[in-house]
Amino acid sequence: MSDAPRKREVNDARRKRDASPVGGEFRIGFLVHDVSRLRQAVFDQAMKPHGVTRAQWWALAQLTRHDPRGGMTQAELARLMELGKVATGAMVMRLEAAGLVSRRADASDRRLNRVFVTNRGSRILERMIAVGRELNGTLLRGLEPDDLDAADRVLTALRSRLRAQLRADGVTGD
Amino acid sequence: MSDAPRKREVNDARRKRDASPVGGEFRIGFLVHDVSRLRQAVFDQAMKPHGVTRAQWWALAQLTRHDPRGGMTQAELARLMELGKVATGAMVMRLEAAGLVSRRADASDRRLNRVFVTNRGSRILERMIAVGRELNGTLLRGLEPDDLDAADRVLTALRSRLRAQLRADGVTGD
DNA sequence: CGATGATCGTACGCATGCTTACCATTTGGC
DNA sequence: GCCAAATGGTAAGCATGCGTACGATCATCG
């Protein structure tokens, strides 16, 4: 790793608390981490009275959105949510334990477990959407649309680069 | 990998797959979640040969940065990293198990556990910084500085709003 | 038709973070 | 001086996600 010292007047986003080697250049990274963590906490808190977490609500949304009646397999759901099989399986298990989905084996292909949203799941999802919409509105209110678009661009770019990086190094393939 | 230059006029960030109630308005939120998750995976993968995860590396950095010699208490570390006591304690435990830090009870206040970075910890941290810097460079290279600033603004705003929201509703106090 | 590989799902263990509960110590008001 | 509150840590349990390994099925090729 022959590393030439990079110029540091690249931008002023790293203005303060930058005396250390790790603090300025990773600002966005850790900012993302913080926001993700806090967002999870806030959403979970807002949705706790309804008994569903944010991740569960999102999974439920994917299920109804792409297959209102058919029954999605876990593998399909995993691809939709861009999660691993294992994480998806655990999520479905929790949803089933909460009575929000049910699983039935497919008749023609016995490897498949088809997941159906229960009536209770649908009802709760409806409320969740309202709660999420309101919360999101609160969070984004007053922010510059241009900034939001720029943030969207940056995050989208980061996501695709991270995916590429992940595929390049670790050939997990999942 | 040919860089996939899809950065043209992405202005219509919420372009497709928006027919559902959950998909457009929560885009940034889930984008943040994805980036955070992927970033964790990529960093961990890059640092795995050195035997340290991203979170551990960050904790190590905080320790050396704010107290090269003195020995920080876990509570101080928790505040620096904006984590709960429990998560911090678990982190320190893993770091200790890896031989990167050591804990000694404070003489004058026996509630305190002072955490010291070992020589091995320092050596590894050095390498980690180089790895992280390079990875971060790869991820951010070529992105518009203006966009990065805007993203920084948005994320910082989100973070403070989320914190406020969290304090408002859940009075955990930790 | 039968071996072989792909696919789906599960089991197990780890990392990270949260909450609630609890113990030990120190500190501060009286 | 003493008891109560604050403070530092730990323990236990849960949610989310990851990786590896494995069993069960299906699909395909020779």
Side-chain angles (χ1 to χ4, degrees), chain A residues 148-167:
Chain A
L148 286 177
D149 283 349
D152 196 292
R153 273 195 298 278
V154 167
L155 291 172
T156 303
L158 285 179
R159 185 172 62 179
S160 77
R161 289 179 185 197
L162 285 165
R163 280 195 191 123
Q165 189 78 33
L166 207 54
R167 274 194 300 270

Side-chain angles (χ1 to χ4, degrees), chain B residues 65-81:
Chain B
R65 174 171 162 192
H66 287 277
D67 212 330
R69 281 271 72 84
M72 198 181 291
T73 68
Q74 290 187 193
E76 283 167 344
L77 180 58
R79 275 188 290 269
L80 267 178
M81 297 178 44

Side-chain angles (χ1 to χ4, degrees), chain B residues 25-77:
Chain B
E25 29 206 334
F26 304 118
R27 202 177 137 71
I28 285 215
F30 285 97
L31 217 37
V32 167
H33 178 246
D34 283 353
V35 170
S36 179
R37 192 165 52 82
L38 290 166
R39 210 180 84 93
Q40 170 120 15
V42 167
F43 267 73
D44 286 357
Q45 193 172 73
M47 295 183 175
K48 188 162 53 184
H50 307 284
V52 180
T53 68
R54 191 196 97 269
Q56 291 172 8
W57 158 66
W58 183 243
L60 224 44
Q62 298 304 318
L63 282 171
T64 59
R65 174 171 162 192
H66 287 277
D67 212 330
R69 281 271 72 84
M72 198 181 291
T73 68
Q74 290 187 193
E76 283 167 344
L77 180 58

